[in-house]
């Protein structure tokens, strides 16, 4: 069983930055692709960024050049650095770990971009 705990959400003004953290319950990065997803009210959950086991990354077009996914293997933590935030980035952000067999989710953290 993998447990994921997100933190770092909050209220930020447009143009500001936030860094989300996802702490995993063990050394899973060699076995699981890590991802950040978000879900805004009334919308479907969408993938924002993905970090594969080989270290390759992938981003949604809407966040390319603004968001960066990274990991700290020693801390079993994945990060999402979010810069130049826009009101449309407002959503609950979820951390995900998945492989061919299983998929795990964190509880989510709220990000609100508003002046």
């Amino acid at each position: 069983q993998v447990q994921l705990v997100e933190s770092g959400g909050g209220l930020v003004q447009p143009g500001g930055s936030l860094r989300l953290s996802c702490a995993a319950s063990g050394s899973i990065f060699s076995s699981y692709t890590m991802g950040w997803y978000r879900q805004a009210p009334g919308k479907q959950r969408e993938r924002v960024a993905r970090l594969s086991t080989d270290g390759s990354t992938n981003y949604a077009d809407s966040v390319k050049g603004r968001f960066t996914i990274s990991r700290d293997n020693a801390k079993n933590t994945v990060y999402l650095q979010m810069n130049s935030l826009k009101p449309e980035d407002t959503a609950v952000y979820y951390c995900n770990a998945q492989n061919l067999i299983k998929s795990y989710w964190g509880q989510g953290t709220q990000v609100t971009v508003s002046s």
Side-chain angles (χ1 to χ4, degrees):
Q1 186 77 10
V2 174
Q3 293 183 328
L4 304 171
V5 179
E6 301 102 332
S7 62
L11 173 64
V12 63
Q13 293 186 342
S17 298
L18 279 176
R19 188 178 78 160
L20 305 183
S21 300
C22 171
S25 59
S27 302
I28 67 170
F29 299 150
S30 63
S31 304
Y32 289 84
T33 292
M34 303 301 298
W36 283 98
Y37 291 70
R38 68 185 180 188
Q39 187 167 19
K43 294 188 176 181
Q44 289 188 332
R45 189 173 296 188
E46 62 171 349
R47 189 175 68 202
V48 173
R50 182 181 65 197
L51 177 57
S52 299
T53 54
D54 64 0
S56 61
T57 58
N58 184 269
Y59 298 93
D61 288 343
S62 58
V63 307
K64 278 182 182 177
R66 301 189 297 123
F67 290 12
T68 303
I69 187 171
S70 62
R71 69 190 184 201
D72 185 329
N73 292 334
K75 295 182 178 180
N76 297 325
T77 300
V78 174
Y79 303 99
L80 185 68
Q81 178 67 43
M82 305 186 295
N83 299 327
S84 303
L85 283 161
K86 305 175 181 180
E88 51 263 43
D89 294 318
T90 295
V92 178
Y93 284 72
Y94 297 90
C95 180
N96 172 264
Q98 67 176 14
N99 59 19
L100 293 177
I101 301 173
K102 294 186 177 180
S103 180
Y104 298 96
W105 293 91
Q107 83 286 353
T109 185
Q110 176 70 47
V111 172
T112 302
V113 184
S114 174
S115 55

